[in-house]
Amino acid sequence: MRRMAAFLILFLLSATPAAAAGLEQYADQLPKYTYTMKDAFAVKGRQGIAVDDKYYYVSGSKAIYKYDKKGNLVASNENPFEGYAIPSNHIGDIDVFNGELFISAEWFMDGVGKDIQIAIHDADTLKFKRTFKFEPSSGQEEVSGICVDRDKRTVWMSSWVGENSGRYLYEYSLDSGKYLRKVHLQPVPQWIQGVYYYDGALYVTADDGEADYDEPDNLYRVNITDKTYATVTREMAFTDVKRHGEIEGLAVDAATGELLVHFNRGARIILGMPKGFYDGYDKEISEVYRFAMKPRAASK
């Protein structure tokens, strides 16, 4: 028996280099970072979060707010659709790049979106500046989030609505505004709420936990290439947040290396709309959580 055990150990050791080499092809299916929750701060908006070197920007469904890095509100625009050529009533997740806010806007009601717009606002004043032309032939039926790929100079949009629309991320040229392509997610996260580009990949938040059962929502990494599809890896489950409600947008603070994730809690959400409250709540609470990010290889 001892000889057999020794033989098996030697066999496994000798096979390890080959096995390790074979596993390299699956490296993109492992989480890239570890995430340690640091703190959270309350905000007025219930949709998205963006960050630059000095400020946080938070979107409500019908408003845009600006906070300093201490969490103090310094500016707001509660009439953000002024100047829009097409009526909107909903803003999703947002991003900020080169002094401009990228706004994912639409008309949304009871789980159905229409009249998608890619709106650009001034990050200083929060006022509307211009729009990108949306491409209906893309098949995108709703917009839940938007982000800028700083390396390729493109803009990505996500869709919360399922079926075909929610199976893809949609890419536009930052410079020309031209629609470029859509990328099929494999596997498809359920109910994507936000999208953000960081360090060569796209990250999406998904409202895929059932709040009634305290199931956590999740963060996924999308390994983008020039192919028409992209593999999706679950980065983390948000098990540390207060009473699971509804996850929203995300961003990464390049200055601090923190992942910022927007959460709402307290309200019951039916078809994307608040409909009453959970026991113990008489209002919805919106918060931005900060997580320290560390590359997994250096996480020991």
Side-chain angles (χ1 to χ4, degrees), residues 15-27:
T16 297
L23 288 173
E24 287 181 1
Q25 62 181 307
Y26 301 108

PDB file of all heavy atoms in Angstrom, residues 15-27:
ATOM      1  N   ALA A  15       3.501  15.082 -13.158  1.00  0.00           N
ATOM      2  CA  ALA A  15       2.487  15.589 -14.089  1.00  0.00           C
ATOM      3  C   ALA A  15       2.180  17.059 -13.870  1.00  0.00           C
ATOM      4  O   ALA A  15       1.567  17.699 -14.709  1.00  0.00           O
ATOM      5  CB  ALA A  15       1.200  14.777 -13.938  1.00  0.00           C
ATOM      6  N   THR A  16       2.621  17.606 -12.727  1.00  0.00           N
ATOM      7  CA  THR A  16       2.257  18.979 -12.371  1.00  0.00           C
ATOM      8  C   THR A  16       2.655  20.017 -13.416  1.00  0.00           C
ATOM      9  O   THR A  16       1.841  20.859 -13.781  1.00  0.00           O
ATOM     10  CB  THR A  16       2.852  19.352 -11.006  1.00  0.00           C
ATOM     11  OG1 THR A  16       2.293  18.499 -10.014  1.00  0.00           O
ATOM     12  CG2 THR A  16       2.556  20.798 -10.659  1.00  0.00           C
ATOM     13  N   PRO A  17       3.916  20.001 -13.958  1.00  0.00           N
ATOM     14  CA  PRO A  17       4.261  21.024 -14.952  1.00  0.00           C
ATOM     15  C   PRO A  17       3.356  20.993 -16.175  1.00  0.00           C
ATOM     16  O   PRO A  17       2.907  22.036 -16.653  1.00  0.00           O
ATOM     17  CB  PRO A  17       5.712  20.672 -15.319  1.00  0.00           C
ATOM     18  CG  PRO A  17       6.235  19.953 -14.118  1.00  0.00           C
ATOM     19  CD  PRO A  17       5.075  19.152 -13.622  1.00  0.00           C
ATOM     20  N   ALA A  18       3.066  19.822 -16.667  1.00  0.00           N
ATOM     21  CA  ALA A  18       2.201  19.711 -17.841  1.00  0.00           C
ATOM     22  C   ALA A  18       0.788  20.167 -17.508  1.00  0.00           C
ATOM     23  O   ALA A  18       0.129  20.848 -18.296  1.00  0.00           O
ATOM     24  CB  ALA A  18       2.194  18.276 -18.348  1.00  0.00           C
ATOM     25  N   ALA A  19       0.352  19.750 -16.310  1.00  0.00           N
ATOM     26  CA  ALA A  19      -0.997  20.149 -15.915  1.00  0.00           C
ATOM     27  C   ALA A  19      -1.092  21.661 -15.776  1.00  0.00           C
ATOM     28  O   ALA A  19      -2.069  22.278 -16.185  1.00  0.00           O
ATOM     29  CB  ALA A  19      -1.370  19.468 -14.598  1.00  0.00           C
ATOM     30  N   ALA A  20      -0.044  22.246 -15.177  1.00  0.00           N
ATOM     31  CA  ALA A  20      -0.037  23.698 -15.018  1.00  0.00           C
ATOM     32  C   ALA A  20      -0.055  24.391 -16.368  1.00  0.00           C
ATOM     33  O   ALA A  20      -0.750  25.387 -16.563  1.00  0.00           O
ATOM     34  CB  ALA A  20       1.188  24.131 -14.218  1.00  0.00           C
ATOM     35  N   ALA A  21       0.715  23.866 -17.316  1.00  0.00           N
ATOM     36  CA  ALA A  21       0.735  24.462 -18.653  1.00  0.00           C
ATOM     37  C   ALA A  21      -0.627  24.367 -19.307  1.00  0.00           C
ATOM     38  O   ALA A  21      -1.088  25.290 -19.976  1.00  0.00           O
ATOM     39  CB  ALA A  21       1.791  23.757 -19.514  1.00  0.00           C
ATOM     40  N   GLY A  22      -1.288  23.230 -19.078  1.00  0.00           N
ATOM     41  CA  GLY A  22      -2.606  23.064 -19.668  1.00  0.00           C
ATOM     42  C   GLY A  22      -3.647  23.980 -19.053  1.00  0.00           C
ATOM     43  O   GLY A  22      -4.600  24.387 -19.718  1.00  0.00           O
ATOM     44  N   LEU A  23      -3.439  24.322 -17.770  1.00  0.00           N
ATOM     45  CA  LEU A  23      -4.397  25.185 -17.087  1.00  0.00           C
ATOM     46  C   LEU A  23      -4.267  26.650 -17.475  1.00  0.00           C
ATOM     47  O   LEU A  23      -5.155  27.455 -17.203  1.00  0.00           O
ATOM     48  CB  LEU A  23      -4.230  25.047 -15.570  1.00  0.00           C
ATOM     49  CG  LEU A  23      -4.708  23.727 -14.958  1.00  0.00           C
ATOM     50  CD1 LEU A  23      -4.333  23.665 -13.497  1.00  0.00           C
ATOM     51  CD2 LEU A  23      -6.218  23.574 -15.132  1.00  0.00           C
ATOM     52  N   GLU A  24      -3.159  27.007 -18.123  1.00  0.00           N
ATOM     53  CA  GLU A  24      -2.947  28.401 -18.488  1.00  0.00           C
ATOM     54  C   GLU A  24      -4.061  28.928 -19.384  1.00  0.00           C
ATOM     55  O   GLU A  24      -4.416  30.098 -19.328  1.00  0.00           O
ATOM     56  CB  GLU A  24      -1.592  28.559 -19.193  1.00  0.00           C
ATOM     57  CG  GLU A  24      -0.405  28.446 -18.252  1.00  0.00           C
ATOM     58  CD  GLU A  24       0.909  28.633 -18.975  1.00  0.00           C
ATOM     59  OE1 GLU A  24       0.891  28.862 -20.203  1.00  0.00           O
ATOM     60  OE2 GLU A  24       1.961  28.541 -18.324  1.00  0.00           O
ATOM     61  N   GLN A  25      -4.616  28.045 -20.210  1.00  0.00           N
ATOM     62  CA  GLN A  25      -5.670  28.485 -21.129  1.00  0.00           C
ATOM     63  C   GLN A  25      -6.942  28.879 -20.388  1.00  0.00           C
ATOM     64  O   GLN A  25      -7.810  29.547 -20.948  1.00  0.00           O
ATOM     65  CB  GLN A  25      -5.986  27.378 -22.124  1.00  0.00           C
ATOM     66  CG  GLN A  25      -6.529  26.106 -21.472  1.00  0.00           C
ATOM     67  CD  GLN A  25      -6.810  25.015 -22.479  1.00  0.00           C
ATOM     68  OE1 GLN A  25      -7.514  25.231 -23.452  1.00  0.00           O
ATOM     69  NE2 GLN A  25      -6.224  23.841 -22.265  1.00  0.00           N
ATOM     70  N   TYR A  26      -7.042  28.500 -19.095  1.00  0.00           N
ATOM     71  CA  TYR A  26      -8.220  28.837 -18.306  1.00  0.00           C
ATOM     72  C   TYR A  26      -7.979  30.003 -17.354  1.00  0.00           C
ATOM     73  O   TYR A  26      -8.817  30.302 -16.514  1.00  0.00           O
ATOM     74  CB  TYR A  26      -8.675  27.613 -17.504  1.00  0.00           C
ATOM     75  CG  TYR A  26      -9.003  26.426 -18.369  1.00  0.00           C
ATOM     76  CD1 TYR A  26      -8.169  25.311 -18.404  1.00  0.00           C
ATOM     77  CD2 TYR A  26     -10.144  26.416 -19.174  1.00  0.00           C
ATOM     78  CE1 TYR A  26      -8.463  24.224 -19.215  1.00  0.00           C
ATOM     79  CE2 TYR A  26     -10.445  25.330 -19.981  1.00  0.00           C
ATOM     80  CZ  TYR A  26      -9.599  24.233 -19.994  1.00  0.00           C
ATOM     81  OH  TYR A  26      -9.890  23.166 -20.803  1.00  0.00           O
ATOM     82  N   ALA A  27      -6.828  30.684 -17.490  1.00  0.00           N
ATOM     83  CA  ALA A  27      -6.488  31.765 -16.569  1.00  0.00           C
ATOM     84  C   ALA A  27      -7.516  32.887 -16.588  1.00  0.00           C
ATOM     85  O   ALA A  27      -7.789  33.511 -15.556  1.00  0.00           O
ATOM     86  CB  ALA A  27      -5.101  32.309 -16.907  1.00  0.00           C
TER      87      ALA A  27
END
